[in-house]
Amino acid sequence: MRVSKGIGVAIGTYGAGVLNMVNPIAQAYAEKSPVLVISGAPDTTARDPDLLIHHKVKTFDTQLRVYEQMTAASAALEDPKMAAREIQRVIAAVRCDRRPGYLEIPRDMTWADLDEAEVRTPVATPRDQAALAEAMQEIATRLNWSRNPVLLAGIEIMRLGLRDQVIRLAERYNLPVATSFMGKAVFPEHHPNFIGTYMGAASHPSTRQMVEGADCLLLLGVWLTDTETGRFTSLIARGTLIQVLADEVIISRHRYQHIGLADILPALLDSSEIKMREFRNDYRPEPPSTDKRSLVASVFSELSQLDDRRYTFTTDTGDCLFGSVALHAETILNPGYYTSMGFGVPAALGAGLAAPDRRPIALVGDGGFQMTGVELGTLVRYGVDAIVIALNNGGYRSLEALGGGRAVWDIHPWDYVAVARALGAEGTRVRSPEEFRTALQASCDQNGVRLIEVVLAPDDISPTLRRLGKQVLE
Amino acid sequence: MRVSKGIGVAIGTYGAGVLNMVNPIAQAYAEKSPVLVISGAPDTTARDPDLLIHHKVKTFDTQLRVYEQMTAASAALEDPKMAAREIQRVIAAVRCDRRPGYLEIPRDMTWADLDEAEVRTPVATPRDQAALAEAMQEIATRLNWSRNPVLLAGIEIMRLGLRDQVIRLAERYNLPVATSFMGKAVFPEHHPNFIGTYMGAASHPSTRQMVEGADCLLLLGVWLTDTETGRFTSLIARGTLIQVLADEVIISRHRYQHIGLADILPALLDSSEIKMREFRNDYRPEPPSTDKRSLVASVFSELSQLDDRRYTFTTDTGDCLFGSVALHAETILNPGYYTSMGFGVPAALGAGLAAPDRRPIALVGDGGFQMTGVELGTLVRYGVDAIVIALNNGGYRSLEALGGGRAVWDIHPWDYVAVARALGAEGTRVRSPEEFRTALQASCDQNGVRLIEVVLAPDDISPTLRRLGKQVLE
């Protein structure tokens, strides 16, 4: 799970249920969310190939074969003697890799007795202490030789709960810290060492200059994806990189295995060999709502002024994702790597259930809302009082900005406010910064599931998307 | 495709797009709909395992591996020299097996030149004439020995466009004809030889008696599924069966390959060895709306009185599917084997586009509507003037009837009429047979996409579902 430290569990019907979960589970694999999928299956004794059981596709193991492609481990529990060991193996893999796992329980195995002798505690993979010592030696040398090192903090810091250690590390050696796009909010944005959110050519110019000008870049939990790097526009040189991931350390072009963030961070904090740095921080965040004509800018500006300890933000893909670079908040969940549309509203449901002390605020475009926005009804049903902000610009504007003609990207207009009300939520439509401020305040002051539809001009896009589009089209 | 004789084509984005299509394509595999899936893919030259391209899951071929599990043939077109042959191989398999195929086009191959020399016409698999002669001899002998043969017509008759031949066959030898559940409407229900829709213990009693009492049962295009047979309650003996499928003939416990329906039907019609039969038809369809208190019965009764040449009916799963046994119509598309919820409304879109001379009428429950009912907006956008009838019984009542407690199966209520209006369609809510008749008449008389929400008592279920539930719970 992205919010709590446990693992998620998703239970579904064989076939039509679990095969409808393929894309979300693929996203969980790509973006490293540990979730265990549990599926039913037909009786092992009723598998006559000439009789067709409903929900079956090609063969009885079709679904297992599909899930093998998107899980760390998977098993069909067809033999009670093996079941305990298989369950342990799959759950251990989910915990270790922080990726999905899959268990299939045939109907006639539901009440089968496990073989007690097989129940045992899985052994954790030992850490390689010699590799750690060697990697640490190399990291200290590289940092000390560097004239202008920069620390870039990424998504895995949040997932592994290592935020405090990163802050202490930055302060201990006075290192400038940027966050990656997906890692946005893993480092406090008001911290004097913060130099902005880095995403290649789409970055704030001073952030880009500092990150790409560094002669030693310490990447902590950062995935080098096309989205993270502004479509690989970044000019980062491999030879300057120290990339520390959950289970691996890559320095320049060589790698150390069986060590990772949880080993390196304490070692860096304990080291007596790394020297203190000095640097001048030229980063000044873009002032709130620079463009009075931009309603989308005012949305992110208003949201940034909320007490961010009380809210979990989720974003969908599109400009609500790109624009969220300008959102100052402690917790933002986004689909920044896999970028599957329709993440925003369902993520608010998950975030609200996993962290009930924070109210979810979901940011979603009209395209994403048309995919999964009806989950407003599920929010109402389970009493998760989310605020959903639908940025309605009438189409797939970020695809358009990244290189298409307009006509193709227009979508069928819905009355989003009427949809919200039909599902049992409250809804308001706003067309100006003042109306948005009033509606946001009212929504924050009251309970219930609330939709705010923000009607945007088609060309009202965020500065990040504008920079990215300009760069792609050049 | 289910309606036209061509094949469908579905084009999607690599990853988040095409992996969201897994369940519908699995259904197309299970229920034999020929559809070609075409996906994009990252450039072949940009597949550095250390750089993560957005939408990628495990490896670059994850998606191909997934689609191999639910297609007749699949290929990633990474080599222009092979591409023409691969495209031909996949399309030929889709046409031959009438099941899905998958082609993946890497971005840098979009404009690649095909190798002209490779473009050639695929060779059709030759039919086995000797096997046909032997099978025909055996079929004629079994039919002539039989005292009370019955012909059971199934879904493949419609798919292969063999309806007229089946009618001629029934008339030529005066055979009683039942249709299977999925094959409903492949034989005219007003025909004097029609003896009802067979689905095991859930059948009309006289239908069940004739089918299960037959000493020779000629199954034409029938899949022996649990749903088709009323969860395998049927007492049909293997030794009495002649099962003719698209590509196979199974008699008792032996099979002939490389021959099928398109070979056997003309041979049966041409035969001079099969004798004419006599039988008494005791089947009387259940009179329209027997139960004045049942609104669901009156819905199917009213629909049966429409001019069925002007409409294509689609049903979702649930009681709109079971209840449709009482619907007299020429064309009904249902997900009767794979039974994935959410089929009804999107199927109306496909049916309307494929057969524009018939207006689609979709039957859907409230559960199915909550999954895909917002495709009403897509119907509006593309001007497909479907009539959607939402049977709102407040929950998953067919699951309840097939063996669960009530509380679990209630679902969050939506205002379905308001949802329809918010998406640009018209909507009406009805609570009585009279109101339904008026609303149906008005919908048929006017253009536009129209939703009729039928508010049902939770225990107002169809006779078929009631029989099936009783049988399962016994």
Side-chain angles (χ1 to χ4, degrees), chain A residues 142-150 213-216 275 277-279:
Chain A
R142 284 179 170 255
L143 281 176
N144 288 340
W145 269 87
S146 164
R147 278 173 297 118
N148 54 348
V150 166
D215 61 359
C216 177
K275 69 181 182 193
R277 319 297 310 205
E278 281 185 18
F279 79 100

Side-chain angles (χ1 to χ4, degrees), chain A residues 29 50 52-55 58 68 71 224-226 238 255 337-339 381 410 412 414-415 422-423, chain B residues 29 50 52-55 58 68 71 224-226 238 255 337-339 381 410 412 414-415 422-423:
Chain A
Y29 188 92
D50 283 343
L52 301 170
I53 309 278
H54 71 287
H55 295 333
K58 206 177 225 180
E68 280 170 357
T71 50
L224 285 180
T225 74
D226 53 351
R238 203 71 166 136
R255 51 189 79 208
Y337 165 45
Y338 190 69
T339 59
R381 175 166 193 178
D410 285 348
H412 179 66
W414 288 12
D415 181 339
L423 307 180
Chain B
Y29 187 92
D50 283 343
L52 301 171
I53 310 276
H54 70 286
H55 294 332
K58 205 178 227 181
E68 281 170 356
T71 50
L224 283 179
T225 75
D226 53 351
R238 203 66 164 142
R255 50 188 80 206
Y337 166 45
Y338 190 69
T339 59
R381 176 167 192 177
D410 285 348
H412 179 66
W414 289 11
D415 182 338
L423 306 180

Side-chain angles (χ1 to χ4, degrees), chain A residues 14-17 19-20 22-27 29-30 48 50-59 61-62 65-72 99 107 223-227 231-232 238 243 250 255 336-341 370-371 374-378 380-381 407-408 410-416 418-419 421-424, chain B residues 14-17 19-20 22-27 29-30 46 48 50-59 61-62 65-72 99 107 223-227 231-232 238 250 255 336-341 370-371 374-378 380-381 407-408 410-416 418-419 421-424:
Chain A
Y14 183 70
L19 289 180
N20 253 329
V22 163
N23 188 58
I25 298 303
Q27 169 145 346
Y29 188 92
D48 179 340
D50 283 343
L51 296 180
L52 301 170
I53 309 278
H54 71 287
H55 295 333
K56 193 184 81 166
V57 185
K58 206 177 225 180
T59 60
D61 63 0
T62 295
R65 299 280 159 261
V66 167
Y67 271 85
E68 280 170 357
Q69 308 303 323
M70 54 196 63
T71 50
R99 283 190 147 138
R107 199 167 68 150
W223 302 334
L224 285 180
T225 74
D226 53 351
T227 37
R231 291 201 169 180
F232 298 129
R238 203 71 166 136
Q243 187 181 9
I250 308 170
R255 51 189 79 208
Y337 165 45
Y338 190 69
T339 59
S340 183
M341 289 178 70
Q370 292 202 3
M371 297 200 175
V374 293
E375 297 307 327
L376 278 175
T378 316
V380 173
R381 175 166 193 178
V408 186
D410 285 348
I411 58 179
H412 179 66
W414 288 12
D415 181 339
Y416 300 98
V419 168
R421 289 179 185 154
L423 307 180
Chain B
Y14 183 71
L19 289 180
N20 253 330
V22 163
N23 188 58
I25 298 302
Q27 169 146 345
Y29 187 92
D48 178 342
D50 283 343
L51 296 181
L52 301 171
I53 310 276
H54 70 286
H55 294 332
K56 193 185 80 167
V57 185
K58 205 178 227 181
T59 60
D61 64 359
T62 295
R65 299 278 158 267
V66 167
Y67 272 84
E68 281 170 356
Q69 308 304 322
M70 53 196 63
T71 50
R99 283 189 147 140
R107 200 168 66 150
W223 303 334
L224 283 179
T225 75
D226 53 351
T227 38
R231 290 202 171 180
F232 299 128
R238 203 66 164 142
I250 309 171
R255 50 188 80 206
Y337 166 45
Y338 190 69
T339 59
S340 184
M341 289 177 70
Q370 292 202 1
M371 296 198 175
V374 294
E375 297 306 327
L376 277 177
T378 316
V380 173
R381 176 167 192 177
V408 186
D410 285 348
I411 59 179
H412 179 66
W414 289 11
D415 182 338
Y416 299 98
V419 168
R421 291 180 184 153
L423 306 180

Side-chain angles (χ1 to χ4, degrees), chain A residues 305-320:
Chain A
Q305 288 163 47
L306 295 176
D307 177 357
D308 64 356
R309 291 162 305 183
R310 294 179 53 202
Y311 300 95
T312 303
F313 289 89
T314 70
T315 87
D316 215 284
T317 59
D319 204 23
C320 58

